[in-house]
Amino acid sequence: MTTNYKEELTGVFGYPVAENPTCVMQQAAFDACGLFWRYLTIEVKPENLAAAIAGARVMGFQGINLTIPHKVAVMALLDEIAADAAMIGAVNTVRRSGDRLIGENTDGKGFLRGVREDAGIDPAGKRVVILGAGGAARAIAVELALAQAAHIDVVNRGIERGQSLVADLGSRTGVSTAFIPWNQTYQVGAKVDILVNATSIGLYPDVDAMPDVALDDVAAHLLVCDVIPNPPNTPFLRAARARNLKTLDGLSMLVYQGVIGFELWAGAKAPEAAMRAALQQALGV
Ligand code: NDP
């Protein structure tokens, strides 16, 4: 029998990156599938990103995740960008096809999978409100538009960022969309089907913070979603549950974006339960 000591490499490049828990989830997936693969958490300063990608190329990395601040800058260093990642304007996952490195974005797809599989809702024809206009909001908005959402309102504090997302969304996907400045309590109307907090409000250590929205007049079927993975049980979701509304947490999005990444890299079905359990243990939830 021949011996193989060569592991296949994957990992995340970020700066800072030490608190990123993805390694726990992906390594659990590789181990559960009996793959001799390794996921590394690697600190890469912005000025070294090009060298790091070149290094990953020659070392034969099977997959790379990008986190802050590399999601946009990496696009110029790849051989191809998937259509939805180009519409979003950011890449969080790189896969290898032969010698070519292809940029993908699994954040919005991960969110969508949670809406479909965990909440049991098809976004087609639904009216959506997204709070926030940053990277997460952008990815979610594009995937919901591509999934045939009927209308997307973007509610954001910063006017320029909100307007820019709505302009890109309309021109790139053709979805009906509007920008609403967030300068007072946002009243969620009865016509909204899906409400998403895609801001960083509620993220550790600001665990008591909550988006300034009123849920007094919402439809009974409203799905309330949060992107915050740590802690996943946010005050926003607790307020929604207190009104008997259906909810979807940021842990679901984080697990599914990793599931999709694993499947792109390994070409095999991801062990979802093992990935979720590993992440829950790492986050202590
Ligand atoms: P960005 O910095 O790109 O965007 C942050 C957004 O939050 C902006 O729209 C910003 O508004 C808004 N915001 C922040 N603080 C406030 C506040 N006090 N009041 C009103 N609006 C506020 O971040 P990302 O989009 O990359 O990330 C957002 C969140 O999504 C993070 O918490 C991140 O952890 C989470 N995330 C979760 C993922 C998952 O898999 N669960 C994946 C990716 C991200 P403004 O424009 O006015 O500054």
Side-chain angles (χ1 to χ4, degrees), residues 99-118:
D99 287 337
R100 293 169 59 74
L101 296 183
I102 300 169
E104 304 268 355
N105 195 312
T106 65
D107 281 338
K109 286 197 187 93
F111 172 81
L112 208 60
R113 196 137 151 187
V115 170
R116 289 194 168 120
E117 293 188 16
D118 292 357

PDB file of all heavy atoms in Angstrom, residues 99-118:
ATOM      1  N   ASP A  99      -6.582  24.556 -13.607  1.00  0.00           N
ATOM      2  CA  ASP A  99      -5.654  25.579 -13.112  1.00  0.00           C
ATOM      3  C   ASP A  99      -6.335  26.923 -12.916  1.00  0.00           C
ATOM      4  O   ASP A  99      -5.692  27.907 -12.556  1.00  0.00           O
ATOM      5  CB  ASP A  99      -4.493  25.758 -14.117  1.00  0.00           C
ATOM      6  CG  ASP A  99      -3.538  24.576 -14.063  1.00  0.00           C
ATOM      7  OD1 ASP A  99      -3.515  23.892 -13.007  1.00  0.00           O
ATOM      8  OD2 ASP A  99      -2.853  24.318 -15.072  1.00  0.00           O
ATOM      9  N   ARG A 100      -7.645  26.982 -13.192  1.00  0.00           N
ATOM     10  CA  ARG A 100      -8.343  28.277 -13.124  1.00  0.00           C
ATOM     11  C   ARG A 100      -8.971  28.477 -11.751  1.00  0.00           C
ATOM     12  O   ARG A 100      -9.523  27.552 -11.157  1.00  0.00           O
ATOM     13  CB  ARG A 100      -9.432  28.332 -14.204  1.00  0.00           C
ATOM     14  CG  ARG A 100      -8.836  28.344 -15.625  1.00  0.00           C
ATOM     15  CD  ARG A 100      -9.923  28.139 -16.660  1.00  0.00           C
ATOM     16  NE  ARG A 100     -10.971  29.148 -16.605  1.00  0.00           N
ATOM     17  CZ  ARG A 100     -10.848  30.402 -17.019  1.00  0.00           C
ATOM     18  NH1 ARG A 100      -9.708  30.796 -17.535  1.00  0.00           N
ATOM     19  NH2 ARG A 100     -11.849  31.241 -16.945  1.00  0.00           N
ATOM     20  N   LEU A 101      -8.893  29.724 -11.261  1.00  0.00           N
ATOM     21  CA  LEU A 101      -9.530  30.077  -9.997  1.00  0.00           C
ATOM     22  C   LEU A 101     -10.799  30.878 -10.303  1.00  0.00           C
ATOM     23  O   LEU A 101     -10.741  31.899 -10.997  1.00  0.00           O
ATOM     24  CB  LEU A 101      -8.589  30.900  -9.120  1.00  0.00           C
ATOM     25  CG  LEU A 101      -7.307  30.203  -8.658  1.00  0.00           C
ATOM     26  CD1 LEU A 101      -6.511  31.124  -7.721  1.00  0.00           C
ATOM     27  CD2 LEU A 101      -7.623  28.882  -7.951  1.00  0.00           C
ATOM     28  N   ILE A 102     -11.923  30.388  -9.772  1.00  0.00           N
ATOM     29  CA  ILE A 102     -13.216  30.993 -10.100  1.00  0.00           C
ATOM     30  C   ILE A 102     -13.846  31.581  -8.843  1.00  0.00           C
ATOM     31  O   ILE A 102     -13.936  30.909  -7.812  1.00  0.00           O
ATOM     32  CB  ILE A 102     -14.139  29.939 -10.741  1.00  0.00           C
ATOM     33  CG1 ILE A 102     -13.449  29.430 -12.015  1.00  0.00           C
ATOM     34  CG2 ILE A 102     -15.509  30.530 -11.057  1.00  0.00           C
ATOM     35  CD1 ILE A 102     -14.065  28.228 -12.627  1.00  0.00           C
ATOM     36  N   GLY A 103     -14.268  32.850  -8.938  1.00  0.00           N
ATOM     37  CA  GLY A 103     -14.844  33.558  -7.791  1.00  0.00           C
ATOM     38  C   GLY A 103     -16.343  33.336  -7.695  1.00  0.00           C
ATOM     39  O   GLY A 103     -17.070  33.464  -8.680  1.00  0.00           O
ATOM     40  N   GLU A 104     -16.786  32.992  -6.502  1.00  0.00           N
ATOM     41  CA  GLU A 104     -18.215  32.759  -6.247  1.00  0.00           C
ATOM     42  C   GLU A 104     -18.620  33.588  -5.034  1.00  0.00           C
ATOM     43  O   GLU A 104     -17.768  34.029  -4.261  1.00  0.00           O
ATOM     44  CB  GLU A 104     -18.466  31.276  -5.907  1.00  0.00           C
ATOM     45  CG  GLU A 104     -17.991  30.286  -6.944  1.00  0.00           C
ATOM     46  CD  GLU A 104     -19.067  29.935  -7.961  1.00  0.00           C
ATOM     47  OE1 GLU A 104     -20.219  30.400  -7.800  1.00  0.00           O
ATOM     48  OE2 GLU A 104     -18.749  29.194  -8.903  1.00  0.00           O
ATOM     49  N   ASN A 105     -19.920  33.748  -4.843  1.00  0.00           N
ATOM     50  CA  ASN A 105     -20.401  34.359  -3.604  1.00  0.00           C
ATOM     51  C   ASN A 105     -21.482  33.459  -3.027  1.00  0.00           C
ATOM     52  O   ASN A 105     -22.528  33.281  -3.659  1.00  0.00           O
ATOM     53  CB  ASN A 105     -20.929  35.772  -3.845  1.00  0.00           C
ATOM     54  CG  ASN A 105     -21.080  36.518  -2.524  1.00  0.00           C
ATOM     55  OD1 ASN A 105     -21.651  35.974  -1.574  1.00  0.00           O
ATOM     56  ND2 ASN A 105     -20.539  37.709  -2.449  1.00  0.00           N
ATOM     57  N   THR A 106     -21.213  32.867  -1.869  1.00  0.00           N
ATOM     58  CA  THR A 106     -22.169  31.916  -1.288  1.00  0.00           C
ATOM     59  C   THR A 106     -23.000  32.532  -0.149  1.00  0.00           C
ATOM     60  O   THR A 106     -23.878  31.865   0.387  1.00  0.00           O
ATOM     61  CB  THR A 106     -21.444  30.657  -0.749  1.00  0.00           C
ATOM     62  OG1 THR A 106     -20.596  31.039   0.335  1.00  0.00           O
ATOM     63  CG2 THR A 106     -20.615  29.984  -1.821  1.00  0.00           C
ATOM     64  N   ASP A 107     -22.725  33.804   0.197  1.00  0.00           N
ATOM     65  CA  ASP A 107     -23.460  34.419   1.323  1.00  0.00           C
ATOM     66  C   ASP A 107     -24.963  34.502   1.039  1.00  0.00           C
ATOM     67  O   ASP A 107     -25.783  34.056   1.842  1.00  0.00           O
ATOM     68  CB  ASP A 107     -22.938  35.838   1.600  1.00  0.00           C
ATOM     69  CG  ASP A 107     -21.635  35.829   2.386  1.00  0.00           C
ATOM     70  OD1 ASP A 107     -21.358  34.824   3.063  1.00  0.00           O
ATOM     71  OD2 ASP A 107     -20.906  36.837   2.320  1.00  0.00           O
ATOM     72  N   GLY A 108     -25.317  35.094  -0.088  1.00  0.00           N
ATOM     73  CA  GLY A 108     -26.738  35.259  -0.422  1.00  0.00           C
ATOM     74  C   GLY A 108     -27.397  33.923  -0.713  1.00  0.00           C
ATOM     75  O   GLY A 108     -28.555  33.681  -0.347  1.00  0.00           O
ATOM     76  N   LYS A 109     -26.637  33.025  -1.349  1.00  0.00           N
ATOM     77  CA  LYS A 109     -27.171  31.684  -1.656  1.00  0.00           C
ATOM     78  C   LYS A 109     -27.444  30.922  -0.362  1.00  0.00           C
ATOM     79  O   LYS A 109     -28.406  30.176  -0.264  1.00  0.00           O
ATOM     80  CB  LYS A 109     -26.181  30.896  -2.504  1.00  0.00           C
ATOM     81  CG  LYS A 109     -26.077  31.332  -3.947  1.00  0.00           C
ATOM     82  CD  LYS A 109     -25.404  30.202  -4.734  1.00  0.00           C
ATOM     83  CE  LYS A 109     -25.090  30.583  -6.158  1.00  0.00           C
ATOM     84  NZ  LYS A 109     -23.740  31.124  -6.329  1.00  0.00           N
ATOM     85  N   GLY A 110     -26.542  31.110   0.619  1.00  0.00           N
ATOM     86  CA  GLY A 110     -26.723  30.452   1.913  1.00  0.00           C
ATOM     87  C   GLY A 110     -27.972  30.964   2.609  1.00  0.00           C
ATOM     88  O   GLY A 110     -28.753  30.193   3.187  1.00  0.00           O
ATOM     89  N   PHE A 111     -28.185  32.276   2.519  1.00  0.00           N
ATOM     90  CA  PHE A 111     -29.393  32.863   3.106  1.00  0.00           C
ATOM     91  C   PHE A 111     -30.643  32.265   2.452  1.00  0.00           C
ATOM     92  O   PHE A 111     -31.593  31.843   3.118  1.00  0.00           O
ATOM     93  CB  PHE A 111     -29.362  34.386   2.919  1.00  0.00           C
ATOM     94  CG  PHE A 111     -30.650  35.047   3.319  1.00  0.00           C
ATOM     95  CD1 PHE A 111     -30.925  35.311   4.648  1.00  0.00           C
ATOM     96  CD2 PHE A 111     -31.601  35.376   2.366  1.00  0.00           C
ATOM     97  CE1 PHE A 111     -32.132  35.892   5.026  1.00  0.00           C
ATOM     98  CE2 PHE A 111     -32.799  35.952   2.732  1.00  0.00           C
ATOM     99  CZ  PHE A 111     -33.063  36.217   4.062  1.00  0.00           C
ATOM    100  N   LEU A 112     -30.591  32.218   1.125  1.00  0.00           N
ATOM    101  CA  LEU A 112     -31.740  31.726   0.352  1.00  0.00           C
ATOM    102  C   LEU A 112     -32.070  30.265   0.692  1.00  0.00           C
ATOM    103  O   LEU A 112     -33.239  29.895   0.803  1.00  0.00           O
ATOM    104  CB  LEU A 112     -31.369  31.829  -1.135  1.00  0.00           C
ATOM    105  CG  LEU A 112     -32.473  32.013  -2.138  1.00  0.00           C
ATOM    106  CD1 LEU A 112     -33.242  33.283  -1.846  1.00  0.00           C
ATOM    107  CD2 LEU A 112     -31.879  32.087  -3.545  1.00  0.00           C
ATOM    108  N   ARG A 113     -31.023  29.466   0.860  1.00  0.00           N
ATOM    109  CA  ARG A 113     -31.240  28.057   1.192  1.00  0.00           C
ATOM    110  C   ARG A 113     -31.945  27.943   2.555  1.00  0.00           C
ATOM    111  O   ARG A 113     -32.801  27.096   2.747  1.00  0.00           O
ATOM    112  CB  ARG A 113     -29.899  27.322   1.207  1.00  0.00           C
ATOM    113  CG  ARG A 113     -30.030  25.841   1.165  1.00  0.00           C
ATOM    114  CD  ARG A 113     -29.006  25.255   0.209  1.00  0.00           C
ATOM    115  NE  ARG A 113     -28.604  23.914   0.589  1.00  0.00           N
ATOM    116  CZ  ARG A 113     -27.620  23.239  -0.001  1.00  0.00           C
ATOM    117  NH1 ARG A 113     -26.931  23.792  -0.965  1.00  0.00           N
ATOM    118  NH2 ARG A 113     -27.327  22.026   0.360  1.00  0.00           N
ATOM    119  N   GLY A 114     -31.570  28.816   3.488  1.00  0.00           N
ATOM    120  CA  GLY A 114     -32.230  28.820   4.796  1.00  0.00           C
ATOM    121  C   GLY A 114     -33.702  29.190   4.668  1.00  0.00           C
ATOM    122  O   GLY A 114     -34.563  28.581   5.305  1.00  0.00           O
ATOM    123  N   VAL A 115     -33.992  30.192   3.831  1.00  0.00           N
ATOM    124  CA  VAL A 115     -35.392  30.610   3.629  1.00  0.00           C
ATOM    125  C   VAL A 115     -36.200  29.441   3.074  1.00  0.00           C
ATOM    126  O   VAL A 115     -37.314  29.152   3.530  1.00  0.00           O
ATOM    127  CB  VAL A 115     -35.471  31.826   2.663  1.00  0.00           C
ATOM    128  CG1 VAL A 115     -36.907  32.106   2.245  1.00  0.00           C
ATOM    129  CG2 VAL A 115     -34.853  33.058   3.318  1.00  0.00           C
ATOM    130  N   ARG A 116     -35.609  28.744   2.122  1.00  0.00           N
ATOM    131  CA  ARG A 116     -36.329  27.638   1.475  1.00  0.00           C
ATOM    132  C   ARG A 116     -36.409  26.410   2.376  1.00  0.00           C
ATOM    133  O   ARG A 116     -37.484  25.842   2.563  1.00  0.00           O
ATOM    134  CB  ARG A 116     -35.633  27.255   0.169  1.00  0.00           C
ATOM    135  CG  ARG A 116     -35.812  28.305  -0.908  1.00  0.00           C
ATOM    136  CD  ARG A 116     -35.420  27.745  -2.283  1.00  0.00           C
ATOM    137  NE  ARG A 116     -35.836  28.629  -3.347  1.00  0.00           N
ATOM    138  CZ  ARG A 116     -35.000  29.188  -4.216  1.00  0.00           C
ATOM    139  NH1 ARG A 116     -33.714  28.942  -4.164  1.00  0.00           N
ATOM    140  NH2 ARG A 116     -35.470  29.992  -5.156  1.00  0.00           N
ATOM    141  N   GLU A 117     -35.267  25.999   2.934  1.00  0.00           N
ATOM    142  CA  GLU A 117     -35.226  24.704   3.637  1.00  0.00           C
ATOM    143  C   GLU A 117     -35.605  24.805   5.109  1.00  0.00           C
ATOM    144  O   GLU A 117     -36.295  23.940   5.618  1.00  0.00           O
ATOM    145  CB  GLU A 117     -33.835  24.081   3.494  1.00  0.00           C
ATOM    146  CG  GLU A 117     -33.574  23.689   2.055  1.00  0.00           C
ATOM    147  CD  GLU A 117     -32.302  22.903   1.857  1.00  0.00           C
ATOM    148  OE1 GLU A 117     -31.734  22.385   2.834  1.00  0.00           O
ATOM    149  OE2 GLU A 117     -31.868  22.825   0.691  1.00  0.00           O
ATOM    150  N   ASP A 118     -35.153  25.841   5.805  1.00  0.00           N
ATOM    151  CA  ASP A 118     -35.456  25.937   7.242  1.00  0.00           C
ATOM    152  C   ASP A 118     -36.806  26.613   7.480  1.00  0.00           C
ATOM    153  O   ASP A 118     -37.562  26.199   8.354  1.00  0.00           O
ATOM    154  CB  ASP A 118     -34.362  26.707   7.989  1.00  0.00           C
ATOM    155  CG  ASP A 118     -33.045  25.930   8.028  1.00  0.00           C
ATOM    156  OD1 ASP A 118     -33.024  24.789   7.526  1.00  0.00           O
ATOM    157  OD2 ASP A 118     -32.055  26.455   8.552  1.00  0.00           O
TER     158      ASP A 118
END
